[in-house]
Amino acid sequence: MAAGRKANMRERYVVDGNTVRKEAWEQPAGRQERRQDPRRRMQLRRRQERALYMDLPYVVVLTIAAICALGICVNYLHMQSAMTKQMDGIETLEQKVETLKAENDALETRINTSVDLDYVYKVATEELGMVYAGKDQVVLYDNTESEYIRQNEDIPKQ
């Protein structure tokens, strides 16, 4: 009887302070292990077989769902590929812009260093007869209406 009782009992360990005690519980009376009769087992097996049985409408719906999922995945991969290609194109164009800016800056520096201002002054004063303006020829005025000067505006008189 002790062996039969142990099969129907669960054990639980309880910690109380620094000691551990073993408590035994009996399973409720309704949950005792019982043998299933062969008729019940056959019913259970038939239900499981029916649950696993796939009829034509179920297969069609499942196939359509799988095709839709596959189409969505292929479309997603295609869009991802196109976006990656565009990002690579943008990166290439940005590199070209940077290269062109560097070339432009280098050319501008070369042009600025190639101009000899002493030579320009010499040609302007000696060959063309140009002279610096005198103090009485320079007129300064404040234009508070806009940030730039229009050519068709009259210069104010002093």
Side-chain angles (χ1 to χ4, degrees):
M1 170 136 177
R5 184 170 180 202
K6 247 189 178 177
N8 290 335
M9 297 176 64
R10 293 185 304 181
E11 294 180 349
R12 179 178 111 170
Y13 295 95
V14 177
V15 177
D16 184 22
N18 62 355
T19 61
V20 177
R21 294 181 308 187
K22 189 190 287 187
E23 288 185 8
W25 291 345
E26 286 192 29
Q27 287 185 347
R31 299 203 70 183
Q32 289 180 357
E33 215 175 290
R34 59 178 181 225
R35 291 188 154 193
Q36 292 181 348
D37 57 346
R39 209 174 49 199
R40 177 112 170 116
R41 241 185 280 146
M42 280 299 281
Q43 283 179 341
L44 184 62
R45 189 176 303 147
R46 277 191 224 129
R47 286 183 193 157
Q48 288 175 346
E49 286 175 2
R50 268 190 254 140
L52 294 176
Y53 176 72
M54 290 192 247
D55 54 348
L56 183 63
Y58 180 74
V59 171
V60 169
V61 169
L62 191 62
T63 304
I64 290 172
I67 290 171
C68 289
L70 181 66
I72 290 171
C73 290
V74 168
N75 189 26
Y76 173 76
L77 290 174
H78 178 64
M79 291 175 71
Q80 186 76 17
S81 172
M83 190 170 70
T84 302
K85 194 181 292 186
Q86 285 180 346
M87 294 297 285
D88 290 343
I90 289 171
E91 188 175 314
T92 303
L93 291 175
E94 285 177 347
Q95 287 175 351
K96 284 183 182 179
V97 166
E98 289 298 320
T99 304
L100 290 174
K101 281 184 180 180
E103 287 177 9
N104 191 21
D105 291 344
L107 288 172
E108 186 177 3
T109 303
R110 201 171 100 206
I111 289 169
N112 288 338
T113 57
S114 69
V115 174
D116 185 14
L117 296 179
D118 291 332
Y119 175 73
V120 171
Y121 178 77
K122 184 179 176 183
V123 169
T125 56
E126 292 176 7
E127 293 178 17
L128 300 175
M130 297 179 79
V131 292
Y132 277 109
K135 287 188 177 186
D136 58 337
Q137 292 176 325
V138 177
V139 177
L140 300 175
Y141 73 98
D142 292 328
N143 187 2
T144 57
E145 293 178 15
S146 65
E147 294 181 7
Y148 59 94
I149 299 173
R150 296 184 194 127
Q151 280 186 327
N152 58 1
E153 266 188 52
D154 293 333
I155 298 175
K157 294 182 181 177
Q158 288 186 359

